[in-house]
Amino acid sequence: MAKALVLTLLLLLAGAGWGREAAPAADDPQLEERTMAIASQLRCPVCQNQTIAESDADLAKDLRGQIRQQLRQGKSETEVVGYMTARYGDFILWRPPFKTTTLVLWLGPALLVLLGLIGLFYRLAREREGGEINLSDAEHARAGLLLESRTEKEQR
Amino acid sequence: MDTARLMIPELGQLALALAFVLALVQGILPLAGAARGNAAWMSVGRSAAHGQLLCLVFAFGVLTYAFATKDFSVAYVANNSNAGLPLAYRIAAVWGGHEGSLLLWMVIFSLWAVAVTVFSRRLPEDMVARVLGVMGLVAAGFLAFLLFTSNPFDRLLPAPADGRDLNPLLQDIGMILHPPFLYMGYVGFVVAFAFALAALISGRLDAAWARWSRPWTTVAWVFLTLGNALGSWWAYYELGWGGWWFWDPVENSSFMPWLLGTALIHSLAVTEKRGTFRSWTVLLAISTFAFSLLGTFLVRSGVLTSVHAFASDPRRGIFMLAFLTVVVGGSLAVYAWRSPRIRVRGGGFALLSRESLLLTNNVLLAAATGTVMLGTVYPLALDALGLGKVSVGTPYFDAVFLPVIAPALFLIGVGPIARWKKAELPDLAVRLRWAFAVSLAIGLALPFAFGQWSPLVAFGVALAAWIAATTLVSLRDRLRSPPVPRAFYGMVFAHVGMAVLIIGITLVRGYETQKEVRMEVGDTVEVGGYVFRFDGVTQVPGPNYAATQATLEVTRAGKSVTTLYPSKRSYFSQQKPMTEAAIDAGITRDLYATLGDALSPSTWLVRVQHKPFLNWIWAGVVLLAFGGLLAASDRRYRLAAPSRREEQPLLQPLQPRGEHG
């Protein structure tokens, strides 16, 4: 509402010659918004990696029309998506459903993080235990020598 | 046509065959020489690498010549260009298809090998020999792929009078630059891979190896960063949807090595500074290149059906899969054979320390890579196993990727502040509390300035502010103990770049608006406070297309802002018209307009979009890349290899504190 007011004001300021507001491409913008929201979650079955919302293919236009029509008939979004899945299978869903064959897909990321962190923690704990390096006498001597030469250098 | 010209493509083919032989020589003699201590054999590597580059550049020149002279008897030329294509695009068409891309890929590969011979003069001869040997073997594999499955010089006889065309989507500066940058990155990781294998074989997996690998890895990463961004930028302005990232399998293919390469850069830092986690770093170097190869397989085999995948020939897929198996299997075998000799000899470190934080970040980045891989490969695997067809797209990645990457982004703020070896939680808390409070406040408040508060936007903004604020804290701390190495500034730029990138992504996603309207001359439409007035369409001729161009006068609060000319192009060689978006880019917003179909002779469909802070995405990427370049050009990488000292990893903990990578 506030935006509309501002816009009207702007248009008035701009003067009458600035033209009239263009009609939305769709007859019912609200319906269109809902349609596109659903369409952008669905894969165009005949295209390459496009959503039904993006695609210019005839089938995609067709399916957009179907979504629009079903929404107009009062069907819910779940019902529309259900209808599409019944017709084209899970393939049409850009967000794959959670079921036995997609178990690894959905749980994999969490599993990766968990296993990675557990593995890291285990290694870190071991690292800490082994953190104290046991030097042989020879190594001690060499380290001492190196330290000495470094101190000398720094003094110089 | 005279016989001399007839022969030229065959000369190109001959050069390719010669390059293949040289690659084999480079792959066998130096490795054998290093094993037996034969200096003569070792030195062959350099000459073989130089000869290979010469052959490949020659072959590339021949193919370019064939395009320039419109030699349609070469099948690849006929398939990817036609007589009407302007010369600049005919030359860019050299890498517009599968075979030519691979040839470019190999030229770049060879460039990296020659770069190794030039910049590694100070390295021990056997190390260089092994690195070049490993690169030679990999090059031989790719050249075999090129020669036997994807020959760019295959003839088409009788020659057609005219060629088909370069895909109009590719007739564009973004698409001309995108592949060379991307390949520089992709292929560049082979150097880190070769260094890792060379170090494994020689058993000298020490801090010196990490130091030698670092600049190579960083430079490759910089190219991959820019290559990915160029592809994204191209998709943004060329595809006409206004999107810039689609989680398309081809994008994912180059995103995975980028993620893992980022992990590798940080892991190399730990290995160089502290001498620890060498096995992990070696595995990362191997896997990063393995993901480059996996990407090559996915894109080049045609297993994907996506806007990018133009190739389709099962022989290619099988070859690449076999090659991938041999390279990964082979390097893992070397790892298994040699890694028992890697002893953890670095200084120990506490559960909370810069080491442990960097490694946690590594684990998260690796998990993020695994997540992207899961989403990319899962549908293919499921289909191959006959378990059904699923699609994995943006909604999946939105749900899964963010939770994995967000903690890693948060840790960017903590890692550089924490001390090596052992950090104290209270000390960390004191040093970070201001940054934390400030970023929290900005995150909570800023969305209100946009008129609409949402938790996701608040989270993104807070995260970006956190990274920026903590980076400033670490910079302030570091400036107290000069001299500050250039690599440190590199890190600062890269991390701030990440913050800028996150701001861009968050605000675009949170506040972009669009409208699709029917317009007649004089009609107006408003998005984001900008009013667009439609001033009709005109016909504009192009070199190999005809365009219909609309004029949109843009004003804001009555003041003129710009004029946009979105158009539709009909290429003479294609049926489908192409949309050319018109964009007015700005620091705080992009205005994006596309012209749709004509509904009547005077009414047109027009879509206008307002994209706040979109340019911050590109700015962030530029900062990331600039930071990488600064880090890679740090003086210490150019110093003579301090081989004596480096051979004693015991000394690592004794080095001056506070140096940074």
Side-chain angles (χ1 to χ4, degrees), chain B residues 211-385:
Chain B
R211 173 170 295 197
W212 296 330
S213 298
R214 279 184 82 182
W216 295 102
T217 311
T218 311
V219 170
W221 177 89
V222 166
F223 276 110
L224 193 57
T225 308
L226 292 174
N228 273 329
L230 278 169
S232 188
W233 179 57
W234 169 82
Y236 171 63
Y237 71 75
E238 183 67 22
L239 293 182
W241 301 321
W244 51 275
W245 190 261
F246 301 94
W247 294 106
D248 174 290
V250 176
E251 287 171 328
N252 294 348
S253 298
S254 48
F255 188 45
M256 289 187 282
W258 186 85
L259 281 171
L260 220 52
T262 310
L264 177 60
I265 285 176
H266 292 86
S267 159
L268 277 170
V270 182
T271 302
E272 191 209 341
K273 292 289 169 208
R274 306 280 304 143
T276 46
F277 274 83
R278 296 169 211 186
S279 321
W280 171 248
T281 307
V282 162
L283 272 182
L284 261 186
I286 293 173
S287 344
T288 304
F289 184 59
F291 270 97
S292 292
L293 288 182
L294 177 71
T296 318
F297 162 70
L298 289 174
V299 178
R300 288 289 149 220
S301 67
V303 294
L304 303 171
T305 40
S306 91
V307 280
H308 296 67
F310 309 114
S312 51
D313 183 346
R315 280 185 313 154
R316 291 174 182 166
I318 291 164
F319 188 112
M320 271 317 290
L321 206 56
F323 185 49
L324 181 66
T325 316
V326 168
V327 171
V328 175
S331 44
L332 288 183
V334 172
Y335 175 78
W337 166 50
R338 283 303 203 175
S339 68
R341 290 186 49 170
I342 310 169
R343 279 185 296 152
V344 183
R345 287 206 293 173
F349 52 87
L351 216 49
L352 183 65
S353 58
R354 190 183 290 176
E355 287 94 328
S356 67
L357 287 166
L358 278 166
L359 288 165
T360 312
N361 225 335
N362 258 266
V363 165
L364 291 170
L365 281 170
T369 312
T371 302
V372 177
M373 181 175 128
L374 209 57
T376 310
V377 178
Y378 206 85
L380 304 174
L382 213 58
D383 196 16
L385 295 173

Side-chain angles (χ1 to χ4, degrees), chain A residues 10 18-25 27 43 48-50 91 93-94 96 101 104-105 109 116 120 124 127 142 150, chain B residues 241 248-249 305-306 349 363 374 378 389 391 393 396 400 516-518 522-524 531 533 555 557 605 648 654:
Chain A
L10 285 178
W18 186 237
R20 66 194 172 97
E21 201 183 337
D27 302 325
R43 179 181 198 149
Q48 292 179 327
N49 271 18
Q50 289 185 333
F91 183 69
L93 302 172
W94 271 128
T101 49
V104 178
L105 180 65
L120 178 66
L124 287 182
E127 185 83 5
R142 206 173 64 206
R150 153 154 282 154
Chain B
W241 301 321
D248 174 290
T305 40
S306 91
F349 52 87
V363 165
L374 209 57
Y378 206 85
K389 282 182 150 238
S391 303
Y396 169 83
V400 164
E516 194 171 5
V517 289
R518 312 164 187 216
D523 281 358
T524 62
V531 180
R533 189 187 66 203
T555 56
L605 274 181
Q648 311 290 339
L654 302 179

Side-chain angles (χ1 to χ4, degrees), chain B residues 195-218:
Chain B
F195 265 102
L197 277 193
L200 270 177
I201 295 171
S202 65
R204 283 176 39 202
L205 209 60
D206 48 22
W209 152 70
R211 173 170 295 197
W212 296 330
S213 298
R214 279 184 82 182
W216 295 102
T217 311
T218 311

Side-chain angles (χ1 to χ4, degrees), chain B residues 103-115:
Chain B
L103 183 55
L104 175 67
W105 171 282
M106 277 323 295
V107 171
I108 286 171
F109 192 112
S110 196
L111 270 176
W112 278 103
V114 168

Side-chain angles (χ1 to χ4, degrees), chain A residues 61-148:
Chain A
K61 286 180 190 162
D62 231 42
L63 292 175
R64 283 201 294 265
Q66 292 220 10
I67 299 171
R68 208 173 288 129
Q69 195 187 346
Q70 296 194 2
L71 283 177
R72 202 176 285 141
Q73 287 166 1
K75 287 200 183 164
S76 74
E77 280 164 32
T78 352
E79 280 171 326
V80 177
V81 173
Y83 171 84
M84 290 291 172
T85 330
R87 239 173 111 183
Y88 294 99
D90 291 340
F91 183 69
I92 203 167
L93 302 172
W94 271 128
R95 185 194 179 101
F98 186 76
K99 52 196 223 181
T100 36
T101 49
T102 60
L103 216 59
V104 178
L105 180 65
W106 280 108
L107 298 183
L111 223 62
L112 281 174
V113 173
L114 218 65
L115 288 180
L117 288 182
I118 291 173
L120 178 66
F121 189 80
Y122 171 79
R123 278 298 298 267
L124 287 182
R126 228 179 51 181
E127 185 83 5
R128 198 159 54 148
E129 274 166 31
E132 291 299 310
I133 305 165
N134 294 318
L135 300 185
S136 67
D137 288 347
E139 280 170 329
H140 257 305
R142 206 173 64 206
L145 262 173
L146 286 164
L147 266 176
E148 233 165 70

